[in-house]
Amino acid sequence: MDPASPEVSVAAGEDGHPEAAPAGDAPVAGGSGAGRGAPVGLSPSRASDFMQCPLLYRFRVIDRLPEKPSAAATRGTLVHAVLERLFDAPAGERTAPRAKSLIPGQWERLRESRPEVSELFADDPDGERLAQWLAEAERLVERWFTLEDPTRLEPAERELFVEAELESGLRLRGIIDRVDVAPTGEVRIVDYKTGKAPRPEYAEGALFQMKFYALVVWRLKNVVPRRLQLVYLGSGDVLTYDPVLADLERVERKLLALWEAIRRATETGEWRPRPTKLCGWCDHQAHCPEFGGTPPPYPLPVRPAQSGGA
């Protein structure tokens, strides 16, 4: 992902899918080894967290430190909800005006399910900032109609939760925005991004999440998706990639190595910060040694350091 863009950094995970450190991603006490913490599952967001900064992963998954709602991520959640609900209507009624008309109701539903998002506009008594924010959501929804034609789409799945267990015991999970299945049985995985498309040198990072999903689908259904499609509503771009089996095998090897690094950090309690430009948007600077902070006491058992050849 483009480290110069805060909105793209939000999209590094499941853009629009609020993930407050799902319980299945967290290492849990117990398992083998005298009560050591044992990792049990991984999502694209948490994998991206660890690759970005191991300490960020710890703060989100193990310490579960609270984070302030983000205007960009919350808008992504709202837009995702609108695009999902639009397909409830008959094909001929899936128009831009109808989609935009869904925004107020979906915003109210979001406020009811996640009251903390109202904090975004606590200092907006006249509602001007909220109106601008909702207008931007409308523009994003409207732009989608220039990129895809929902009257010609009949998704097989929307907001699909997927989970697969690898032979190693590692569980992979995530939420796919849309799954299209052609009459011939070919599968297309589609993900909406409300940020801008990354620069070419960051395209591989953008595709990591999609290859993760493709790996899960392959392991579940023994089918390699025909196409992976990222729809960037912020810039009006569509990024596609046609995976092959070798791609998914490489991703699986990468995830296994990543999970082994997470397991080691869980057992030793050594979570190193990795400073980048993204640190400027991190909610946890007060707890980060890079900013003079101190992490909270480690809540899991720590494996004693081994000396010599023992």
Side-chain angles (χ1 to χ4, degrees), residues 12 19 43 52 57 63 93 102-103 108 127 134 137 150 152 167 178 189 196 219 232 247 269-270 273 284 288-289 305:
E19 253 196 308
S43 69
Q52 176 185 323
Y57 177 98
D63 298 300
E93 298 177 19
L102 295 174
I103 290 176
E108 287 303 314
L134 290 172
R152 301 180 64 183
E167 292 180 0
R178 201 179 83 219
I189 296 176
K196 296 180 180 180
R219 285 303 189 188
Y232 286 94
D247 290 324
E270 295 182 6
H284 308 304
C288 180

Side-chain angles (χ1 to χ4, degrees), residues 55 59 271 273 284-295:
L55 187 58
F59 287 158
W271 301 91
H284 308 304
Q285 293 180 11
H287 297 284
C288 180
E290 292 294 322
F291 292 87
T294 301

Side-chain angles (χ1 to χ4, degrees), residues 22-264:
D25 285 353
V28 296
S32 61
R36 301 173 190 167
V40 295
L42 192 62
S43 69
S45 292
R46 301 293 78 87
S48 294
D49 284 346
F50 189 85
M51 289 187 290
Q52 176 185 323
C53 175
L55 187 58
L56 174 64
Y57 177 98
R58 179 200 149 168
F59 287 158
R60 285 180 166 170
V61 175
I62 296 177
D63 298 300
R64 297 178 179 255
L65 297 182
E67 297 184 356
K68 297 177 182 178
S70 155
T74 304
R75 184 167 51 226
T77 303
L78 174 61
V79 170
H80 275 71
V82 168
L83 298 186
E84 180 191 7
R85 293 276 67 84
L86 182 65
F87 284 102
D88 290 340
E93 298 177 19
R94 298 171 193 161
T95 63
R98 182 185 182 95
K100 290 192 292 184
S101 74
L102 295 174
I103 290 176
Q106 292 303 314
W107 170 233
E108 287 303 314
R109 289 186 62 184
L110 182 57
R111 290 176 60 191
E112 291 173 3
S113 62
R114 296 175 56 200
E116 68 274 13
V117 301
S118 296
E119 299 173 13
L120 291 169
F121 306 103
D123 58 348
D124 183 36
D126 58 2
E128 182 177 351
R129 284 181 48 243
L130 174 59
Q132 292 175 348
W133 184 83
L134 290 172
E136 176 58 23
E138 287 189 359
R139 285 190 288 271
L140 293 171
V141 168
E142 197 165 30
R143 183 172 290 145
W144 177 60
F145 285 82
T146 70
L147 305 173
E148 296 191 288
D149 181 359
T151 67
R152 301 180 64 183
L153 295 171
E154 290 297 340
E157 300 286 352
R158 292 173 274 154
E159 297 291 310
L160 174 66
F161 175 80
V162 290
E163 182 177 43
E165 183 170 329
L166 305 183
E167 292 180 0
S168 66
L170 170 60
R171 290 203 295 269
L172 304 178
R173 57 172 59 83
I175 301 174
I176 301 175
D177 288 344
R178 201 179 83 219
V179 178
D180 300 331
V181 180
T184 56
E186 294 177 314
V187 174
R188 177 173 64 183
I189 296 176
V190 181
D191 198 74
Y192 309 122
K193 298 295 185 187
T194 50
K196 296 180 180 180
R199 296 197 296 264
E201 60 266 34
Y202 295 105
E204 183 60 32
L207 283 169
F208 169 75
Q209 173 189 352
M210 303 302 285
K211 291 180 180 179
F212 184 111
Y213 291 149
L215 169 61
V216 176
V217 169
W218 171 49
R219 285 303 189 188
L220 283 174
K221 305 292 186 181
N222 199 31
V223 172
V224 176
R226 174 68 178 82
R227 172 155 294 181
L228 311 177
Q229 182 166 303
L230 284 158
V231 181
Y232 286 94
L233 306 178
S235 56
D237 296 299
V238 177
L239 175 64
T240 62
Y241 183 81
D242 295 343
V244 296
L245 183 57
D247 290 324
L248 308 188
E249 292 173 336
R250 280 193 294 270
V251 170
E252 183 167 344
R253 290 193 296 270
K254 179 177 182 176
L255 289 172
L256 290 173
L258 181 67
W259 198 241
E260 175 60 21
I262 292 173
R263 186 191 63 79
R264 288 196 301 269

